[in-house]
């Protein structure tokens, strides 16, 4: 049955009042996302230290910090589908508790060799799957006109990587290698218990009944799955790549100390985090296509500028901060697009695939940058490649994605009937 179509500019920007419980659930989910991302990012700030202490090559160092990214990304696909089935109330405590195991292993015994670090990093990827739990959980609590903002606020939990950047090296220097891992494990345990006691799934949540394999196959047939995956691979993938590799880049390319490089990376992360809910909020008002187009333009321009390796103050700093803000806003806009076009009972499954694409988008660049620097002694080619990819994503946004939004290829609105998979949110 054909549905009425609307253009981006006709999207409603207001709706029914959101109850206080929805805001509480959003806050708890955001905290859970931040705590799990804190754990997920523990190895990145220590990459330069492990390179020196274990005599790693540039590629090995890049591999070390990238392994949790790729595992956490691919793990989002089954975790997102499981969240559709069992809900965030079940999945948040499970993911948080499971992440404690690799965190303790890395802190107590798993940091003495590259092989041990790779094993620990592999299972540390579990923390990265929390994103695929939170998006469908939050989405079900908010009406369509508020979902871009709500998911953007939840996405700010990616600032957990900033906690890791600001504290990990300092804690190791002041105490021991085990200290940041033990603290993070304790926080994860507290959150897992709190989530089990306090989280509630939205009363109108649509629970799918099909087998997991069939649901994933149906997800693969949705256009929004691949449109959002391509965009998120650039937007969030760029953020992840910089958040894990920027300390190495600044230390190698500009001669900064490990602590200074980690602090600057934290500034990059915090700006991206702050801009993610802004991107979602703007998308609720002017449409995600416009926000994505502006964001990708800034990323392409910033990458071109930085490819010339300008002085860090002020040109390099401005270029990096501009890219940070744009990548954060673009990430928020991508999931506003997901909320706009995805059927309600498939949000978790779509989020899993899109989240995986974003994480994989962050896995490849550190390996490429490390390899190119090892070959040419320069990061310029890698940054030019980023500019080219951002420009290609911009072109796709202005053509294919805009056409999908304007044609009405979207999820059913609330109130259009149960036979279309719609559900009532509170």
């Amino acid at each position: 049955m054909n549905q009425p179509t609307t253009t981006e500019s006709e999207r409603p920007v207001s709706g029914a009042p959101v109850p206080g419980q929805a805001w509480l659930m959003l806050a708890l989910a955001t905290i859970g996302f931040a705590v799990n991302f804190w754990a997920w990012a523990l190895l990145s700030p220590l990459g330069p230290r492990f390179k020196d202490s274990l005599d790693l090559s540039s590629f090995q160092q890049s591999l070390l910090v990238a392994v949790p990214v790729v595992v956490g990304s691919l793990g989002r696909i089954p975790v997102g589908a499981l969240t559709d089935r069992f809900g965030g109330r079940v999945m948040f405590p499970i993911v948080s508790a499971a992440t404690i195991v690799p965190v303790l292993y890395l802190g107590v015994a798993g940091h003495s060799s590259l092989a041990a670090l790779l094993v620990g990093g592999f299972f540390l990827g579990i923390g990265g799957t929390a994103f695929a739990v939170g998006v469908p959980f939050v989405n079900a609590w908010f009406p369509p006109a508020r979902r871009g903002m709500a998911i953007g606020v939840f996405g700010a939990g990616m600032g957990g990587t900033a906690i890791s950047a600001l504290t990990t090296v300092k804690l190791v220097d002041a105490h021991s290698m085990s200290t940041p891992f033990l603290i993070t494990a304790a926080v994860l345990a507290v959150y897992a218990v709190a989530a089990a006691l306090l989280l509630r799934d939205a009363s109108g949540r649509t629970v799918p009944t099909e087998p997991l394999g069939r649901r994933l196959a149906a997800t693969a047939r949705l256009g929004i799955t691949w449109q959002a995956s391509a965009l998120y691979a650039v937007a969030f993938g760029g953020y992840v790549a910089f958040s894990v590799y920027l300390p190495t880049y600044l230390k190698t390319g500009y001669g900064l100390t490990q602590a200074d490089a980690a602090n600057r990376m934290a500034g990059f992360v915090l700006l991206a985090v702050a801009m993610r809910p802004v991107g979602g909020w703007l998308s609720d008002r002017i449409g995600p296509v416009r926000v994505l187009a502006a964001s990708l333009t800034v990323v392409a321009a910033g990458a071109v500028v930085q490819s010339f390796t300008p002085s860090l103050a002020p040109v390099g700093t401005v270029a990096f901060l501009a890219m940070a803000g744009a990548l954060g806003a673009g990430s928020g806009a991508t999931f506003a697009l997901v909320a706009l076009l995805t059927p309600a009972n498939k949000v978790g499954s779509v989020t899993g695939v899109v989240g995986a694409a974003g994480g994989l988008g962050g896995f490849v660049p550190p390996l490429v940058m490390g390899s190119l620097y090892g070959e040419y002694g320069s990061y310029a080619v890698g940054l030019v490649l980023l500019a080219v990819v951002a420009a290609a994503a911009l072109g796709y946004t202005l053509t294919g994605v805009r056409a999908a939004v304007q044609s009405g290829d979207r999820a059913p609105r609330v109130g259009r009937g149960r036979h279309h998979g719609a559900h009532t949110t509170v």
Side-chain angles (χ1 to χ4, degrees):
M1 180 176 177
N2 294 328
Q3 301 295 336
T5 61
T6 59
T7 64
E8 274 193 281
S9 60
E10 293 169 334
R11 297 180 68 212
V13 297
S14 62
V18 179
Q21 189 177 18
W23 296 109
L24 175 60
M25 294 301 107
L26 173 58
L28 290 170
T30 303
I31 292 169
F33 182 28
V35 169
N36 279 277
F37 252 43
W38 175 8
W40 194 40
L42 280 170
L43 290 180
S44 174
L46 297 173
R49 183 180 296 254
F50 288 131
K51 180 181 181 181
D52 294 338
S53 64
L54 300 176
D55 195 25
L56 305 181
S57 67
S58 294
F59 179 81
Q60 288 173 324
Q61 181 187 353
S62 299
L63 181 64
L64 170 63
V65 299
V67 163
V69 173
V70 71
V71 174
S73 302
L74 294 175
R76 292 174 187 178
I77 297 174
V79 168
L82 288 169
T83 302
D84 277 340
R85 176 66 181 85
F86 297 106
R89 183 184 184 183
V90 171
M91 293 302 296
F92 253 128
I94 289 176
V95 167
S96 301
T99 305
I100 295 172
V101 177
V103 170
L104 287 176
Y105 166 76
L106 285 166
V108 174
H111 54 261
S112 58
S113 70
L114 177 61
L117 284 167
L118 290 176
V119 170
F122 181 90
F123 290 100
L124 193 64
I126 296 170
T129 67
F131 179 74
V133 178
V135 170
F137 176 79
V138 170
N139 187 79
W141 272 105
F142 285 80
R146 300 287 188 90
R147 285 177 184 161
M149 177 276 301
I151 294 173
V153 170
F154 167 75
M158 68 187 190
T161 57
I163 301 174
S164 179
L166 290 169
T167 63
T168 303
V169 174
K170 292 182 176 67
L171 288 170
V172 170
D173 288 340
H175 301 284
S176 69
M177 180 63 72
S178 300
T179 303
F181 295 92
L182 296 176
I183 291 173
T184 307
V187 175
L188 281 165
V190 171
Y191 178 76
V193 173
L197 294 175
L198 299 175
L199 285 182
R200 298 289 184 273
D201 290 310
S203 59
R205 187 177 74 88
T206 302
V207 180
T209 56
E210 301 92 345
L212 177 62
R214 188 179 301 171
R215 283 189 282 131
L216 291 176
T219 299
R221 292 193 293 270
L222 292 173
I224 181 58
T225 302
W226 306 111
Q227 292 160 355
S229 291
L231 296 172
Y232 205 57
V234 179
F236 185 71
Y239 161 80
V240 170
F242 278 122
S243 68
V244 301
Y245 199 72
L246 196 55
T248 300
Y249 174 92
L250 293 173
K251 186 172 183 289
T252 305
Y254 287 95
L256 300 185
T257 65
Q258 181 182 350
D260 192 11
N263 287 337
R264 290 174 185 267
M265 186 270 274
F268 181 98
V269 167
L270 289 172
L271 181 56
V273 167
M275 288 301 296
R276 183 158 182 157
V278 173
W281 177 79
L282 286 172
S283 296
D284 284 339
R285 282 149 180 78
I286 64 174
V289 168
R290 293 186 180 95
V291 178
L292 280 163
S295 299
L296 292 166
T297 299
V298 173
V299 172
V304 169
V305 170
Q306 192 57 35
S307 69
F308 292 98
T309 318
S311 61
L312 201 54
V315 179
T317 298
V318 170
F320 274 120
L321 291 180
M323 286 191 286
L327 291 168
S331 297
T334 301
F335 270 91
L337 189 70
V338 169
L340 177 68
L341 299 180
T342 305
N345 63 343
K346 291 184 173 65
V347 172
S349 298
V350 171
T351 295
V353 176
V354 175
L360 291 175
F363 172 75
V364 175
L367 299 180
V368 172
M369 293 289 274
S371 298
L372 288 173
Y373 187 83
E375 184 70 23
Y376 301 108
S378 171
Y379 292 112
V381 176
L383 287 159
V384 169
L385 288 174
L386 171 61
V388 171
V389 170
L394 172 62
Y396 180 57
T397 298
L398 295 175
T399 54
V401 176
R402 173 173 283 171
V405 172
Q406 292 179 340
S407 70
D409 180 15
R410 62 186 64 202
R413 291 288 189 191
V414 172
R416 285 185 180 173
R418 293 182 179 273
H419 57 289
H420 293 300
H423 70 284
T424 302
T425 56
V426 294

